[in-house]
């Protein structure tokens, strides 16, 4: 009995053990299964995520409409300076070589300038008002301050003080070392005129040129004050680099000038500058006039850059005087006017003129032959990825191309030397009437010629005589006659061009209108500030030779000064002297001619 009970207990224990162990093993198996399933799901999700990321990476990223703001303060340390300078260089490249092709810069502008002619007479027309003897005293005043500005900009500071007869205690602020967006300026006390003069140097050093190149338009507003009360707010945009430079100058000039005005309440404040310094001076004048003690300050701007929008420029006519010399380019040069000029150059026929030069100039013709010879002997010069069409393809009639089908593609040759982007508007090439091109049998010959037949040097030069023009313009062009046999066909092409001239000119006008519409996307148009006085030199009028006997022609009679409206400076007028007329010695020379012209008999020169 005892053994039986012990056996039953042992059996029960074994049974209990088996039940418990089986239950636990089932639970472990279930746990392992769930863990394995979770791991598999996680692996699948990771693979899908990688696939999705790869798909998004291949997709073009959406354009970010948010634009990075230009700096509103001058850079302090080296890192900020390098960052702003790099962005300025990118901006300058984008607005120059990023839009203009080398052909347009080297040949298009020159051709358009010759086609445009001298446009100084436009400043004497319309709403322009001719000024006379009544402005002589003002011109003398302007000449004196222009010489001070020139001595400060070009000479050592000691020479500037000797010229102005200033003492050391007359110097309030002196910052002669320019940095990026921190131009050179000085504040001196002029006892002769009872004025505090703030002189700002133009773009001479590399840092100052980078400041002038930061030409993006940024918001700038002027609060009009009258006896310490706000009467109006003028909204607009201004030149970024000049606005930042004006704020930096104001940080040092406002405390010094405020203390000086309190000590000498009968003194006035005049801000003077040339070129970039003139644009900074005009913007700085708006800032200083918002202070009660400096609300009467005025500005003299010599050859100022286009630096502010129309409303701001008009609001400064009472306290800013702008002087422009002859064909000076800078007062009318802005991003919008440059885009408009490029549109006009693009639709002009400068490429045809360039081809004529290549045909009639021995040197360019030699270069053309050399390039053609190189293309015939160097196998890697031509490759199938170029987008330049051969001259034979352009001269080929459209009807023949449609009939030939695949032969038209076989006639296509490519020049890898034409690496510039196509920026010249192309017109449909006329249909030649020569027997060589009208004969259908010539098409198979050209196809065999392209496939296996050896090309002679004379044929290659004849086929690629427009290559140099294509390289410069950035697009393909029609062939130029290089032999006497082609001269007859060229004359026939000229006749066809003359018959189609009205249609092509109409297309050019339409394209120019479209280009002008696109100019509006360049941003706000900037203008020179204040009241504008323009010194104009008109060409010598034709005279009767009988009347000129015993009399000398006086060139000074051709120089006049006009008060011109601002809309004249929304367009760039090209001229050979547009750069030379910007320099201060040319301004001084023209001013001296006008002063001598308006001098009364017996009046002594006060300068």
């Amino acid at each position: 009995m005892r053994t039986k009970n012990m056996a039953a207990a042992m059996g029960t224990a074994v049974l209990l053990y088996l039940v418990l162990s089986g239950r636990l093993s089932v639970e472990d198996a279930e746990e392992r299964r769930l863990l394995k399933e979770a791991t598999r799901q996680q692996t699948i999700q990771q693979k899908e995520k990688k696939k999705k990321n790869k798909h998004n990476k291949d997709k073009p990223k959406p354009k970010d409409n948010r634009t990075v703001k230009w700096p509103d303060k001058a850079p302090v340390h080296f890192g900020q300076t390098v960052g702003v300078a790099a962005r300025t260089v990118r901006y300058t490249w984008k607005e120059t070589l990023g839009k203009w092709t080398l052909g347009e810069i080297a040949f298009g502008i020159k051709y358009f300038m010759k086609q445009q002619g001298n446009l100084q007479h436009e400043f004497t027309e319309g709403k322009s008002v001719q000024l006379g003897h009544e402005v002589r005293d003002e011109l003398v005043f302007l000449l004196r301050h222009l010489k001070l500005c020139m001595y400060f900009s070009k000479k050592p500071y000691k020479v500037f003080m000797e010229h102005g007869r200033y003492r050391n205690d007359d110097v309030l602020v002196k910052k002669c070392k320019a940095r990026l967006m921190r131009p050179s300026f000085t504040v001196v006390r002029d006892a002769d005129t009872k004025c505090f003069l703030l002189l700002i140097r133009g773009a001479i050093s590399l840092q100052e040129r980078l400041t002038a190149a930061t030409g993006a338009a940024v918001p700038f507003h002027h609060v009009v004050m009258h006896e310490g009360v706000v009467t109006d707010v003028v909204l607009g945009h201004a030149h970024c680099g000049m606005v930042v430079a004006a704020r930096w100058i104001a940080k040092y000039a406002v405390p010094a000038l405020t203390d000086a005005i309190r000590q000498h309440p009968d003194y006035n404040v005049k801000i003077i500058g040339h070129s970039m310094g003139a644009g900074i001076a005009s913007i700085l004048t708006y800032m200083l006039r918002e202070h009660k003690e400096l609300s009467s300050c005025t500005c003299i701007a010599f050859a100022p850059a286009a630096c502010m929008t129309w409303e701001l420029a008009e609001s400064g006519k009472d306290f800013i005087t702008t002087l422009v010399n002859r064909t000076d380019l800078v007062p009318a040069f802005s991003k919008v006017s440059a885009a408009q000029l490029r549109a006009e150059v693009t639709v002009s026929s400068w490429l045809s003129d360039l081809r004529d030069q290549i045909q009639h100039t021995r040197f360019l013709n030699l270069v053309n032959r050399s390039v053609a010879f190189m293309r015939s002997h160097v196998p890697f010069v031509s490759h199938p990825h170029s987008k330049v069409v051969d001259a034979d393809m352009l001269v080929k009639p459209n009807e023949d191309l449609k009939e030939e089908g695949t032969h038209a593609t076989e006639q296509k040759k490519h020049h890898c030397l034409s690496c510039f982007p196509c920026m010249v508007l192309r017109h449909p090439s006329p249909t030649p009437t020569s027997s060589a091109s009208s004969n259908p049998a010539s098409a198979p010959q050209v196809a065999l010629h392209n496939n296996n037949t050896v090309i002679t040097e004379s044929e290659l030069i004849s086929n690629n005589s427009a290559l140099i023009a294509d390289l410069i313009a950035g697009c393909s062009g029609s062939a130029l006659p290089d032999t006497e046999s082609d001269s007859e066909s060229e004359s026939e092409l000229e006749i066809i061009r003359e018959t189609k001239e009205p249609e092509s000119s109409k297309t050019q006008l339409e394209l120019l209108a479209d280009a002008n519409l696109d100019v509006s996307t360049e941003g706000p148009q900037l203008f020179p500030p204040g009241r504008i006085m323009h010194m104009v030199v008109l060409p010598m009028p034709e005279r009767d030779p009988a009347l000129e006997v015993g009399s000398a022609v006086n060139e000074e009679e051709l120089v006049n000064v006009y008060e011109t409206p601002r809309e004249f400076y929304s367009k760039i007028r090209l001229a050979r002297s547009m750069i030379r007329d910007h320099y201060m010695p040319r301004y001084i020379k023209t001013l001296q001619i006008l002063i001598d012209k308006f001098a009364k008999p017996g009046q002594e020169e006060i300068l």
Side-chain angles (χ1 to χ4, degrees):
M1 189 68 183
R2 186 176 180 182
T3 304
K4 185 178 180 180
N5 293 334
M6 185 180 295
M10 291 179 63
T12 304
V14 170
L15 181 62
L16 182 62
Y17 172 76
L18 291 176
V19 172
L20 292 177
S21 62
R23 185 177 179 182
L24 293 175
S25 63
V26 171
E27 292 178 357
D28 291 343
E30 183 68 18
E31 185 177 355
R32 285 195 300 269
R33 188 184 65 78
L34 293 175
L35 182 62
K36 187 176 180 180
E37 182 69 18
T39 305
R40 190 175 66 83
Q41 293 291 340
Q42 186 177 4
T43 304
I44 294 174
Q45 291 179 2
Q46 289 178 355
K47 290 182 179 180
E48 291 179 353
K49 187 176 181 180
K50 289 181 180 180
K51 187 176 179 180
K52 186 177 180 181
N53 292 338
K54 184 178 179 180
H55 181 68
N56 294 335
K57 186 177 180 180
D58 296 337
K59 279 186 176 182
K61 294 182 180 180
K63 294 183 178 180
D64 191 1
N65 296 326
R66 296 176 299 175
T67 57
V68 181
K69 291 184 178 180
W70 285 91
D72 54 354
K73 295 181 181 180
V76 178
H77 51 79
F78 179 76
Q80 292 181 353
T81 303
V82 172
V84 175
R87 189 178 180 188
T88 299
V89 171
R90 291 195 302 268
Y91 175 83
T92 306
W93 176 270
K94 177 184 175 182
E95 298 300 327
T96 54
L97 295 179
K99 294 183 178 179
W100 293 74
T101 62
L102 296 180
E104 291 171 342
I105 295 175
F107 297 94
I109 291 179
K110 182 179 179 181
Y111 173 79
F112 187 71
M113 183 192 307
K114 181 173 63 176
Q115 188 182 43
Q116 193 180 54
N118 189 0
L119 299 179
Q120 275 199 80
H121 62 87
E122 293 185 358
F123 294 104
T124 66
E125 301 170 354
K127 299 180 181 179
S128 298
V129 178
Q130 184 174 356
L131 306 176
H133 297 83
E134 68 277 1
V135 297
R136 183 182 182 276
D137 294 338
E138 184 178 2
L139 295 178
V140 171
F141 180 80
L142 293 176
L143 180 58
R144 181 182 183 276
H145 289 83
L146 178 58
K147 288 183 177 180
L148 284 173
C149 187
M150 186 183 68
Y151 272 85
F152 172 69
S153 300
K154 302 291 186 179
K155 304 293 182 180
Y157 197 80
K158 184 178 180 181
V159 178
F160 160 72
M161 293 184 64
E162 292 177 354
H163 174 77
R165 299 190 297 272
Y166 301 133
R167 301 187 305 270
N168 291 331
D169 56 350
D170 292 332
V171 180
L172 304 182
V173 182
K174 174 186 173 184
K175 297 286 184 180
C176 294
K177 198 169 185 179
R179 293 287 185 269
L180 180 61
M181 296 183 178
R182 292 184 289 175
S184 175
F185 77 99
T186 187
V187 180
V188 296
R189 181 172 62 90
D190 194 335
D192 296 336
T193 58
K194 290 189 176 182
C195 288
F196 292 106
L197 303 180
L198 196 159
L199 300 162
I200 305 175
R201 194 171 74 177
I204 296 178
S205 64
L206 176 62
Q207 293 85 349
E208 291 166 329
R209 294 180 188 275
L210 288 175
T211 302
T214 313
V218 296
F220 178 74
H221 313 310
H222 171 52
V223 179
V224 181
M225 303 285 292
H226 181 69
E227 296 181 355
V229 180
V230 177
T231 59
D232 193 9
V233 177
V234 183
L235 307 179
H237 291 76
H239 188 283
C240 174
M242 299 181 186
V243 170
V244 175
R247 287 173 181 159
W248 180 80
I249 294 176
K251 182 174 63 173
Y252 296 94
V254 170
L257 289 174
T258 302
D259 295 339
I261 288 295
R262 290 171 182 172
Q263 298 176 8
H264 304 276
D266 56 335
Y267 275 53
N268 296 322
V269 177
K270 290 191 178 297
I271 309 174
I272 306 167
H274 172 263
S275 187
M276 181 196 75
I280 297 174
S282 59
I283 296 174
L284 180 62
T285 304
Y286 285 100
M287 296 179 180
L288 297 188
R289 288 180 67 89
E290 295 178 359
H291 297 268
K292 182 177 180 181
E293 296 83 0
L294 307 175
S295 59
S296 61
C297 66
T298 57
C299 175
I300 303 175
F302 298 104
C307 57
M308 59 183 65
T309 50
W310 180 280
E311 293 78 9
L312 286 169
E314 281 290 320
S315 64
K317 294 180 69 173
D318 296 335
F319 51 87
I320 298 177
T321 300
T322 293
L323 186 67
V324 182
N325 181 40
R326 306 191 185 196
T327 60
D328 191 353
L329 171 70
V330 174
F333 188 81
S334 65
K335 184 179 177 181
V336 177
S337 60
Q340 182 180 359
L341 174 64
R342 179 179 171 273
E344 295 175 350
V345 171
T346 300
V347 300
S348 65
S349 57
W350 68 269
L351 183 58
S352 302
D353 181 74
L354 177 60
R355 289 172 181 161
D356 294 338
Q357 293 182 27
I358 295 175
Q359 180 184 0
H360 296 95
T361 305
R362 182 177 301 177
F363 174 75
L364 293 178
N365 202 358
L366 177 63
V367 173
N368 183 30
R369 290 173 178 270
S370 302
V371 173
F373 179 80
M374 182 180 65
R375 294 181 63 248
S376 64
H377 289 76
V378 181
F380 61 82
V381 169
S382 297
H383 63 88
H385 299 290
S386 178
K387 297 181 180 179
V388 179
V389 185
D390 187 37
D392 295 338
M393 188 70 180
L394 294 175
V395 179
K396 192 70 178 175
N398 295 332
E399 292 79 3
D400 294 343
L401 294 178
K402 294 179 180 179
E403 294 176 0
E404 290 174 7
T406 58
H407 293 289
T409 60
E410 295 178 358
Q411 296 179 9
K412 192 176 296 184
K413 306 172 189 174
H414 306 278
H415 313 315
C416 69
L417 295 178
S418 184
C419 56
F420 306 118
C422 180
M423 302 300 293
V424 179
L425 301 175
R426 173 153 301 286
H427 306 292
S429 56
T431 303
T433 59
S434 59
S435 60
S437 60
S438 60
N439 187 6
S442 61
Q445 295 177 2
V446 174
L448 294 175
H449 177 83
N450 286 337
N451 290 331
N452 299 316
T453 307
V454 179
I455 304 174
T456 62
E457 181 180 355
S458 60
E459 292 174 345
L460 185 62
I461 293 175
S462 177
N463 292 336
N464 299 282
S465 57
L467 178 60
I468 302 300
D470 296 341
L471 297 178
I472 297 173
C475 64
S476 60
S478 58
L480 295 176
D482 195 40
T483 58
E484 295 179 357
S485 61
D486 294 332
S487 60
E488 183 177 358
S489 62
E490 180 67 14
S491 62
E492 295 174 352
L493 294 177
E494 289 293 335
I495 296 175
I496 297 175
R497 289 193 188 99
E498 291 177 359
T499 58
K500 291 189 176 184
E501 184 176 359
E503 182 180 355
S504 63
S505 62
K506 181 180 179 180
T507 305
Q508 288 183 1
L509 292 175
E510 292 176 353
L511 293 170
L512 179 58
D514 296 339
N516 286 335
L517 291 176
D518 294 336
V519 167
S520 60
T521 62
E522 297 292 335
Q525 171 80 59
L526 302 183
F527 296 91
R531 165 179 171 252
I532 304 175
M533 298 173 62
H534 199 127
M535 300 180 292
V536 180
V537 179
L538 299 177
M540 181 70 67
E542 297 182 359
R543 297 186 180 184
D544 190 356
L547 298 176
E548 295 182 359
V549 176
S551 62
V553 178
N554 187 8
E555 296 182 355
E556 298 176 1
E557 296 178 356
L558 303 176
V559 183
N560 290 299
V561 59
Y562 294 83
E563 185 173 343
T564 52
R566 201 171 316 281
E567 56 264 19
F568 284 173
Y569 303 92
S570 61
K571 170 187 175 182
I572 295 178
R573 295 169 176 82
L574 301 176
R576 292 184 178 273
S577 60
M578 59 186 176
I579 303 299
R580 296 194 304 269
D581 288 340
H582 179 67
Y583 297 125
M584 284 184 280
R586 298 293 291 262
Y587 271 76
I588 292 175
K589 180 180 178 181
T590 309
L591 271 174
Q592 191 64 60
I593 292 174
L594 285 171
I595 291 171
D596 295 342
K597 175 182 178 179
F598 295 150
K600 297 179 181 179
Q603 185 176 5
E604 296 181 357
E605 183 59 58
I606 64 175
L607 292 178

